[in-house]
């Protein structure tokens, strides 16, 4: 499988290189040159497979030459054995034909584990083969950092440095990062805000000379193709569990960077009958404004009760725009260059084409809390604020009640106790047993000044073979 850039100018790459590359050199994102397509008969034959067997069938066409079949199977078995539920992505029923798919049974209690648990293994496998080492550098305001750290903790050829804003992440989120103790894991608390952390990461990627040419930086943010690939699988899993592919499904997806829902779009293109995808946003609603009015315009960032969806622009949306423009990289490049300067629209027929599949909704903090309370009162089931936004948007956008509506449950409620409290419920979400002692575990992190040279110096000194 070859991968091409959404801006049409960077060289095509194979799977291994795409894994180790963040942005393409032309500023675009990598996408597969063509998608595998499965017939209904083939998909039907996957009923009853375990999650990791299904994952193999869905993903292997993207990997093929890069990794022998049996090695990839083993990697998948190990990855999903680490989830605290036999079904890996269990479905919970909320109402007639309405479901939540719990994607938070992995080590850090958020759906990002599905991809990052696999990504760590893929990286180590490829680096071992190539006798290479990488330094992963990332900034986090919460979920991504812990999922990336958990994903890389056993990697021999990876050192990971995660920057978080000192005293500005929740205690659960900080502890999920800082209690993972390993020689290759480095948590840096920067005396600044999240934007400062992100700026330092960006600058470091731009000029890696501080590493002295002895290793290179790698990115694990959601523009990494392997993360999208791993997220396609659970759409198939949910559909097969509810009578697919002989009936179509609707999904509602709490959306930030558009990675998770883009995977659903790919599942449809690969042959899975999906009749509706609901983009559920919080007040950072650039995608909702685009889908409802064909106007793509950045607003300033709002802080909400669903912090993992607090974004100004959704980087993966570029991958959809590429398809909507007939895979014309030059057109995407022009559109996004204009979008950086002010509001843009796309041709009406392209926008209407997108609207056949996608609906959208924006849910504010108050409605998020109301939904948490409502669903708890209806079902004695506790939603985290991100998932609550998905459920609310699903209910608002539903087109056909005979089609199963599945909301992706992106995080465990115990990660966001403040939102639960704000919803007025007196129940306290409990951390699951494997995390129950989180508040007693030893923490390890280094506090550094808001100064890129200091942070780079720390990294240069502390990676394994420095
Ligand atoms: C990352 C995240 C999201 C958003 O996912 P995208 O792929 O960025 O759209 C939603 N909910 C939670 C809990 C997350 O951690």
């Amino acid at each position: 499988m070859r991968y091409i850039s959404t801006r049409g100018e960077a060289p095509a790459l194979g799977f291994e290189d795409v894994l180790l590359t963040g942005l393409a050199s032309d500023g675009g994102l990598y996408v597969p040159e063509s998608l595998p397509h499965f017939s209904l008969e083939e998909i039907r034959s996957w009923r009853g497979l375990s999650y990791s067997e299904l994952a193999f069938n869905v993903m292997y066409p993207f990997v093929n030459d890069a990794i022998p079949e049996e090695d990839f199977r083993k990697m998948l078995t190990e990855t999903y054995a680490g989830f605290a539920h036999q079904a890996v992505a269990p479905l919970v029923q909320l109402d007639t034909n309405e479901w939540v798919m719990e994607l938070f049974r992995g080590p850090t209690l958020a759906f990002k584990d599905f991809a990052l648990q696999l990504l760590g293994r893929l990286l180590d496998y490829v680096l071992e083969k190539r006798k290479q080492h990488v330094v992963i550098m990332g900034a986090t305001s919460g979920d991504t950092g812990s999922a990336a750290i958990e994903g890389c903790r056993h990697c021999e050829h990876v050192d990971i440095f995660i920057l978080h804003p000192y005293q500005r992440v929740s205690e659960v989120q900080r502890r999920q990062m800082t209690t993972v103790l390993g020689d290759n894991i480095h948590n840096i608390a920067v005396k600044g805000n999240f934007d400062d952390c992100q700026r330092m990461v960006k600058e470091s990627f731009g000029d890696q000379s501080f590493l002295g040419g002895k290793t290179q930086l790698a990115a694990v943010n959601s523009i990494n193709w392997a993360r999208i690939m791993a997220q396609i699988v659970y759409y198939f899993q949910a559909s097969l569990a509810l009578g697919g592919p002989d009936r179509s499904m609707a999904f509602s997806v709490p959306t930030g960077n558009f990675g998770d829902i883009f995977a659903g779009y790919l599942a449809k293109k690969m042959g899975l009958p999906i009749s509706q995808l609901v983009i559920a946003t919080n007040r950072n609603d650039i995608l909702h404004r685009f889908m409802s009015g064909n106007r793509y315009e950045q607003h300033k960032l709002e802080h909400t009760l669903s912090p993992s969806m607090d974004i100004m622009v959704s980087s993966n949306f570029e991958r959809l725009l590429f398809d909507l423009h007939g895979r014309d990289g030059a057109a995407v490049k022009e559109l996004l260059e204009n979008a950086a300067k002010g509001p843009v629209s796309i041709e009406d027929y392209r926008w209407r084409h997108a609207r056949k599949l996608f609906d959208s909704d924006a849910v504010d903090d108050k409605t998020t809390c109301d939904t948490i309370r409502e669903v708890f009162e209806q079902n004695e089931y506790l939603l985290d604020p991100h998932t609550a936004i998905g459920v609310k948007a699903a209910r608002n956008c539903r087109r056909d009640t005979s089609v199963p509506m599945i909301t992706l449950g992106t995080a465990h409620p115990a990660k966001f106790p403040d939102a639960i409290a704000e919803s007025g419920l007196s129940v306290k979400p409990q951390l699951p047993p494997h995390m129950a002692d989180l508040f007693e575990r030893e923490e390890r992190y280094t506090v550094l000044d808001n100064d890129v040279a200091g942070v780079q110096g720390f990294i240069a000194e502390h990676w394994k073979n420095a």
Side-chain angles (χ1 to χ4, degrees), residues 373-412:
R373 202 172 53 248
E374 178 181 299
V375 169
F376 189 78
E377 282 163 4
Q378 289 167 340
N379 295 54
E380 297 188 331
Y381 184 70
L382 206 48
L383 299 173
D384 99 286
H386 305 80
T387 310
I389 288 171
V391 167
K392 184 65 187 176
R395 290 179 175 180
N396 283 349
C397 297
R398 195 115 191 234
R399 291 180 190 169
D400 178 351
T401 51
S402 74
V403 174
M405 171 59 86
I406 303 152
T407 295
L408 270 49
T410 51
H412 191 289

Side-chain angles (χ1 to χ4, degrees), residues 1-4 12 31-35 327:
M1 177 76 74
R2 307 283 296 163
Y3 293 85
I4 57 173
V31 289
E33 197 163 43
S34 63
L35 286 175
R327 311 204 108 201

